[in-house]
Amino acid sequence: MTQDKKISIRVGLFIFISFLLLVGAILILGRKRNMFQQSIKIATVFSNVQGLRVGNNVRFTGIEVGAVSNIKILTDTSALVVLSIDKGAVPFIKKDSRTIIGSEGLMGSKIVMLLPGTPGSPAVEDGDEITSERSIEFDDIIKEIQISGEKISEVANNLIEITGKINRGDGIFGKLFTDSELTQEIDQTGKNIESLSRNLKEVTEKINAGEGLIGHILMDTTFAQKLDETSINVAIISSNIEKLSSRIKNGEGSLGQLFADTTSAKGFIRMSQDLEKAVNNLSEISQKMNDPSNALNQFIADSAFADTLKITFRNLNKGLTEITEASEAVQRSGIVRAFSKDKKKKP
Amino acid sequence: MATKKLSNFFIQLANIFAFTVLTVKYMFRRPFEHNEFVRQLFLVGYKSFGLISITAFIMGLVLTIQTRPVMEEFGAESWVPTMIFISIVIEIGPVITALLFAGRVGSRIGAELSSMRITEQIDAMEVSGVYPMKYLVTTRVLATTIMLPALVLYADFLALIGSYIGYAMHNTIGIVLFIREAFDELAFSDLIPATIKTFFFGFFIGILSCFTGYNTNRGAEGVGIATNSAVILSSLSIFIIDLIAVQITEILIQ
């Protein structure tokens, strides 16, 4: 009897453990398939489900949040996909979330990815329909490649034409590659450019060092200050001019009267006519002066004449000083002093 | 000659069918041979546990070690747990376990019943009012039918452990993640049909072993023949049932 009991216990334990294993396996599978978890159902419509099957995973921000629970054809161009979403993930999925079909790796099974909606909008509810986005399919990629391939072949044809022209020596580039004279010229030009740039470099160095006028302008801070002051003065002047002009406009002062008084305008016109005549005369004179045969022109333009004039003046100056000295000497000399009227005043 | 062989085959088939019907009929007839049933469960199931454990463990270990380098070449090393466990659950676990079970249990039942037959113990039972079909056959058939699925579940589990050890030799991976990955691609449509078909394996191993043992009639030589054909018929039936099960599963899942 005890032997029988032992056997019974062993057999019972054995079957119990194997049953536990089965239950364990079912639980693990069940948790994966969300069978024992509360979930809601939301719908989305795709134009192409790309081989999605019932039971495929649904991911939200990369986390599995549910599974595809049903797929059926809705119209001739759309398919309804029902997703079951875990209750725990529902608060994070907004009503304006979008779905897109992706795949797990290159060869993996298809998945539905939920793209997050805007933060403020309400969470999805059971029976909601959310919009889908068209994902890039392999066929699209192939089409794209085909188009770009055609374009590339066009470009290649053009390149062949261009290189052919270059080889034949057509056009500027052709000459560039085939004409030796042109290359020499280009070479020369390059040398010139080099020397030019060297000169430029020297000039800029000088400017940097503060040499020359431009250097002075750019580098001298005191000069800049002066310039600043000048500009302030200019501003003052301009404001004065403005005031003046406004006063003139208002008819203040004689100039204002001049502008504002119509009676004196006639006289003014006559005056300006006279002025014009005078200017004409002046221009005649200046033309005559420009004529090299004219004496006045010699006076102005002839540098040699100017030199002699300078020397003459210098000599004159010298002469005058000598005369002054001589006169002083004469003043000091007693003979003259004796005859001078103011001899008593001098001590 | 050929016709006689063919007719013999059909006669045998008819006998097996009749034997099966009779066994099922006796299963529902009172009183139930409780003690004998538990004893058979112990002998058939519990005693086979050691053999099945070692084989399953080694099977998982070896499969993983041999598959890993090939998968690594394809850059799909992380799929090894999934792949191994699916193949174990769907096919290797049930079939290998059932074959071992047929070898161990089928031969025992065949030899036991045939020697009982030739020593006229079965006849004595009939005379003394004990239904030998009920006492000997139904208890054994029920025991194999119940114990084989249990053993297959153990075998799957131990193969998973073996596979983990084989995988962990080259990769750093926790047992939890390994199990999670192993169950990754497994579905109810894999686990449930695989479990259901092991009941049929167990049932037919029991029926065929009992049938060959029960219908012996040629003395000591008959014991050998009966034992031999018990193992052969059981093993053959496993593959035939497996084939049918695959087809039915395929149709049902579609």
Side-chain angles (χ1 to χ4, degrees):
Chain A
M1 197 62 203
T2 43
Q3 187 64 30
D4 277 1
K5 238 183 194 170
K6 245 185 212 167
I7 287 171
S8 294
I9 287 166
R10 283 181 191 177
V11 169
L13 199 68
F14 187 79
I15 291 175
F16 178 71
I17 291 170
S18 71
F19 186 71
L20 275 187
L21 284 176
L22 182 67
V23 168
I26 287 169
L27 279 176
I28 290 174
L29 286 178
R31 196 174 60 177
K32 200 182 63 154
R33 298 281 169 230
N34 304 307
M35 223 168 223
F36 307 105
Q37 210 162 12
Q38 282 198 314
S39 62
I40 64 157
K41 285 198 164 33
I42 56 173
T44 179
V45 175
F46 288 104
S47 60
N48 184 349
V49 296
Q50 299 169 35
L52 193 75
R53 288 192 304 173
V54 172
N56 278 143
N57 291 321
V58 177
R59 281 190 189 165
F60 179 68
T61 60
I63 302 161
E64 278 183 27
V65 294
V68 175
S69 69
N70 194 14
I71 299 174
K72 61 183 175 192
I73 300 169
L74 206 64
T75 67
D76 56 345
T77 54
S78 61
L80 182 78
V81 176
V82 180
L83 312 171
S84 71
I85 308 290
D86 295 350
K87 272 268 166 67
V90 165
F92 305 104
I93 301 166
K94 309 298 181 192
K95 270 190 196 290
D96 60 350
S97 303
R98 288 149 296 137
T99 54
I100 189 165
I101 293 175
S103 60
E104 268 179 285
L106 199 60
M107 297 185 293
S109 55
K110 293 286 173 192
I111 52 168
V112 175
M113 288 188 282
L114 279 165
L115 305 175
T118 48
S121 53
V124 285
E125 286 162 31
D126 196 31
D128 274 352
E129 190 184 320
I130 57 175
T131 53
S132 68
E133 251 179 39
R134 198 168 170 279
S135 60
I136 298 162
E137 286 171 49
F138 196 65
D139 290 352
D140 293 344
I141 295 167
I142 295 284
K143 247 181 239 169
E144 204 63 30
I145 289 169
Q146 210 176 339
I147 290 164
S148 50
E150 276 167 18
K151 278 177 184 164
I152 286 166
S153 72
E154 228 170 86
V155 170
N157 282 340
N158 288 343
L159 269 176
I160 289 165
E161 250 175 64
I162 288 163
T163 49
K165 275 181 184 167
I166 288 168
N167 274 338
R168 284 196 299 276
D170 292 351
I172 293 170
F173 277 104
K175 276 192 183 140
L176 203 69
F177 282 103
T178 51
D179 197 343
S180 59
E181 219 172 280
L182 191 70
T183 53
Q184 271 176 356
E185 276 166 23
I186 287 167
D187 200 36
Q188 191 59 45
T189 312
K191 276 175 190 164
N192 290 344
I193 288 168
E194 198 196 332
S195 65
L196 187 71
S197 68
R198 201 180 296 137
N199 288 343
L200 254 171
K201 190 186 155 206
E202 277 169 21
V203 170
T204 49
E205 271 171 358
K206 275 179 184 166
I207 288 170
N208 273 339
E211 289 174 32
L213 186 61
I214 295 172
H216 196 64
I217 289 168
L218 292 178
M219 295 298 152
D220 195 347
T221 51
T222 57
F223 182 79
Q225 229 168 8
K226 275 177 193 164
L227 210 65
D228 204 33
E229 278 168 22
T230 310
S231 68
I232 290 164
N233 289 341
V234 167
I236 293 165
I237 289 164
S238 68
S239 75
N240 286 344
I241 287 169
E242 201 193 324
K243 275 181 207 159
L244 208 66
S245 66
S246 71
R247 278 165 77 179
I248 288 167
K249 215 162 123 191
N250 294 336
E252 288 172 31
S254 59
L255 208 63
Q257 275 179 0
L258 202 71
F259 279 98
D261 197 353
T262 47
T263 53
S264 62
K266 271 181 189 170
F268 203 69
I269 289 165
R270 208 186 299 142
M271 206 164 83
S272 70
Q273 277 170 353
D274 290 349
L275 210 68
E276 197 187 334
K277 267 181 205 162
V279 168
N280 281 343
N281 289 344
L282 260 173
S283 92
E284 261 174 50
I285 290 161
S286 68
Q287 267 174 5
K288 276 176 187 165
M289 266 162 69
N290 275 336
D291 191 2
S293 59
N294 201 304
L296 207 64
N297 177 274
Q298 271 186 0
F299 188 74
I300 294 164
D302 196 343
S303 57
F305 181 75
D307 281 349
T308 46
L309 209 66
K310 218 189 258 176
I311 292 162
T312 312
F313 272 112
R314 203 184 292 153
N315 290 344
L316 208 65
N317 204 7
K318 219 193 225 171
L320 279 171
T321 47
E322 275 170 5
I323 287 168
T324 324
E325 278 170 11
S327 71
E328 275 177 0
V330 168
Q331 257 182 6
R332 276 196 299 271
S333 67
I335 305 159
V336 180
R337 204 204 260 168
F339 293 99
S340 173
K341 281 184 177 176
D342 53 3
K343 63 176 181 184
K344 283 167 189 171
K345 281 178 186 172
K346 296 270 177 178
Chain B
M1 190 69 182
T3 16
K4 204 184 174 194
K5 259 195 177 170
L6 204 67
S7 66
N8 267 347
F9 170 75
F10 283 117
I11 289 165
Q12 200 79 336
L13 209 63
N15 285 341
I16 291 169
F17 184 72
F19 188 80
T20 309
V21 171
L22 203 65
T23 312
V24 173
K25 217 196 264 177
Y26 271 111
M27 275 179 197
F28 299 101
R29 194 170 286 185
R30 300 276 135 198
F32 188 67
E33 300 290 345
H34 183 261
N35 282 344
E36 176 63 12
F37 176 58
V38 173
R39 208 177 67 86
Q40 285 304 323
L41 284 178
F42 181 76
L43 290 174
V44 160
Y46 191 83
K47 290 276 185 181
S48 307
F49 181 61
L51 175 74
I52 302 291
S53 309
I54 292 165
T55 347
F57 180 81
I58 292 170
M59 190 61 63
L61 187 69
V62 169
L63 261 179
T64 309
I65 290 170
Q66 288 190 331
T67 313
R68 209 191 53 81
V70 184
M71 295 292 272
E72 198 177 18
E73 233 169 79
F74 286 111
E77 200 191 359
S78 61
W79 283 53
V80 169
T82 315
M83 205 194 82
I84 296 288
F85 194 57
I86 279 189
S87 52
I88 284 169
V89 167
I90 291 177
E91 188 62 29
I92 293 168
V95 170
I96 296 282
T97 311
L99 283 174
L100 282 165
F101 193 73
R104 194 190 178 282
V105 173
S107 61
R108 199 184 65 81
I109 291 172
E112 194 185 11
L113 289 191
S114 60
S115 49
M116 281 176 98
R117 168 65 77 188
I118 61 160
T119 52
E120 295 175 347
Q121 284 181 49
I122 293 174
D123 296 328
M125 270 184 189
E126 272 172 9
V127 170
S128 61
V130 177
Y131 296 105
M133 272 299 283
K134 196 168 156 52
Y135 186 80
L136 297 175
V137 177
T138 55
T139 50
R140 281 166 174 75
V141 171
L142 273 178
T144 53
T145 310
I146 288 168
M147 276 327 224
L148 184 61
L151 283 169
V152 168
L153 287 170
Y154 276 108
D156 288 350
F157 178 71
L158 286 163
L160 182 68
I161 302 295
S163 176
Y164 171 69
I165 289 166
Y167 193 67
M169 281 178 186
H170 299 275
N171 301 64
T172 321
I173 186 166
I175 183 82
V176 176
L177 179 63
F178 184 85
I179 289 173
R180 194 180 282 262
E181 269 182 22
F183 277 90
D184 213 30
E185 285 297 313
L186 198 73
F188 279 116
S189 55
D190 299 323
L191 182 69
I192 301 301
T195 310
I196 289 169
K197 83 182 172 190
T198 53
F199 280 100
F200 284 94
F201 287 170
F203 181 76
F204 280 97
I205 289 167
I207 285 281
L208 292 167
S209 308
C210 287
F211 174 78
T212 49
Y214 201 77
N215 294 310
T216 323
N217 45 21
R218 269 187 289 174
E221 193 198 355
V223 177
I225 291 168
T227 313
N228 194 5
S229 52
V231 175
I232 290 169
L233 279 179
S234 302
S235 308
L236 198 64
S237 74
I238 289 163
F239 286 102
I240 291 165
I241 294 162
D242 199 34
L243 179 69
I244 295 164
V246 164
Q247 290 302 320
I248 291 171
T249 313
E250 196 93 317
I251 291 161
L252 286 180
I253 287 171
Q254 287 303 302

